[in-house]
Amino acid sequence: MDWSQLVVPSLRSLNPYRPGITEEKLRRDTGLSEIFKFSSNEAPVPPSPAVTAAMRDALAQANRYPDAQALLDKLAQRLRVPASQLVLGNGSIDVIASLVRAFVSPQHNVVLSEFGYCAYPAFVEEQGAMVRLAASGRHFGHDVDRLLAKIDLRSSMVLVDSPTNLSGHALTARELQRLIDNLPDRVLLVLDEAYAEFADGDAPRETEQLPLRHPNVVVTRTFSKAYGLAALRVGYGIADAGLIRWLNRIRPPFPVSRVALAGASAALDDRAHVEHIVALARDGRRLLVDALDAMNVAVVEGSANFVLADFGSAARPVYEGLLARGFITRAMHAYGLPTHIRISVGTPCEIEQLVTAMQGLLQATPPVHAIEEGV
Ligand SMILES: Cc1ncc(COP(=O)(O)O)c(C=O)c1O
């Protein structure tokens, strides 16, 4: 059967997103018993006992479809936004995909950054719409002027990740405000804040309030990173209540499981655990940056739970050498950066083992040169 003739035409040319390797896959492929995962920017520690207990309790009612209102209400209270301005998703990526489905038609284009999250273009292509790529700025971050310059009469959305998935570089409060102030009302700004809880310094504050003041701004967040619940697949969007009513028309029924709702709700109450994960990220970043510096590897350090290392020459041998030793990092070919590897923060002990493995590999093939700041 030639399925290519039967699928919707937009699928034929679509460039799919390829997720990173799981521990299970590497174990299946190599037979290695000890695997260290530094590739998908997850939390390096398991959920807290309170979260695990809440999920176990929820399992007792696994025969019933879930009701999401309790989590919506708790989030609304925490974020100081009405529950009618919240939408939950099977991970924040599900909310983002729904936004593109709801607001992007074939005659539209979506403005993305050159080094924005590489999962976005497939959503746009699926709609049969065009991507307009704005060149990125320093540290692979967003360049507001270039993003604004790419908006034309066909643009229905600007979609940016801040901090970014690639380098962790975040828009400053001023940059974000300038982007919003200069955005036409008919263009939706989707601000993907998967790493919001890690951001520091001059990062924008209280961005969850933006959709209340600007109906064309949507903010998405997740429980996958700082809340340490990537496997549960829970994320949310904050948006104008009218927009959410439209969005809900295309949402599948019950997108978040009862267990995931219970886990996310308990995680919201367990602030100490989130603070622990954020502190691990900050301290682990420091450890990684210092170790990479000492190995003469250039690093772009953002404000999330990972660093982007530039090995100056093809990073493939390092990536594959690490993989063969059970260390999963993320090669950056999907971003057209063959000399870079992104490394998520692990526990201090895991980082130490990774650094030792990397030192061994780099003694065999030292990095050729170090880059200057970002691009
Ligand atoms: C910038 C960005 N947005 C969204 C996601 C998806 O997160 P979720 O697990 O909430 O779907 C990721 C995951 O790595 C990400 O890096």
Side-chain angles (χ1 to χ4, degrees), residues 40 91-93 117 120 161 163 165 192 194-195 222 224-225 233:
S40 300
S92 59
I93 206 67
Y117 186 24
Y120 301 151
D161 49 341
N165 170 281
D192 171 356
Y195 304 99
T222 185
S224 299
K225 310 294 180 183
R233 313 301 301 121

Side-chain angles (χ1 to χ4, degrees), residues 92-283:
S92 59
I93 206 67
D94 173 35
V95 177
I96 294 167
S98 296
L99 284 161
V100 176
R101 277 175 59 209
F103 290 98
V104 180
S105 307
Q107 74 271 18
H108 285 139
N109 67 57
V110 174
V111 176
L112 305 175
S113 280
E114 182 189 5
F115 291 114
Y117 186 24
C118 62
Y120 301 151
F123 300 144
V124 181
E125 289 163 17
E126 185 186 340
Q127 296 306 106
M130 298 290 290
V131 167
R132 268 168 81 80
L133 273 189
S136 289
R138 266 178 86 236
H139 302 310
F140 304 100
H142 306 290
D143 183 314
V144 169
D145 293 320
R146 289 176 181 157
L147 284 168
L148 288 169
K150 284 289 174 189
I151 296 173
D152 67 10
L153 289 172
R154 287 173 176 259
S155 305
S156 63
M157 183 180 286
V158 176
L159 174 47
V160 289
D161 49 341
S162 181
T164 68
N165 170 281
L166 171 63
S167 70
H169 189 72
L171 284 166
T172 64
R174 274 164 165 259
E175 286 170 335
L176 178 59
Q177 196 55 53
R178 200 152 51 80
L179 179 56
I180 293 171
D181 288 346
N182 289 287
L183 202 67
D185 289 346
R186 62 180 169 79
V187 178
L188 204 60
L189 170 65
V190 178
L191 181 65
D192 171 356
E193 290 197 324
Y195 304 99
E197 294 82 0
F198 300 104
D200 46 24
D202 51 4
R205 305 249 168 256
E206 301 192 342
T207 43
E208 64 273 10
Q209 298 293 313
L210 286 172
L212 277 65
R213 296 196 296 277
H214 305 278
N216 61 337
V217 176
V218 180
V219 175
T220 61
R221 303 241 181 108
T222 185
F223 284 89
S224 299
K225 310 294 180 183
Y227 286 88
L229 298 176
L232 287 192
R233 313 301 301 121
V234 198
Y236 60 93
I238 311 156
D240 181 70
L243 183 155
I244 286 183
R245 280 195 294 277
W246 282 105
L247 204 59
N248 281 337
R249 289 187 174 211
I250 56 158
R251 304 284 299 139
F254 309 110
V256 184
S257 78
R258 182 180 285 277
V259 175
L261 290 166
S265 178
L268 267 184
D269 292 334
D270 194 347
R271 292 186 194 230
H273 193 67
V274 177
E275 281 165 20
H276 175 54
I277 291 173
V278 171
L280 275 174
R282 190 188 49 231
D283 299 346

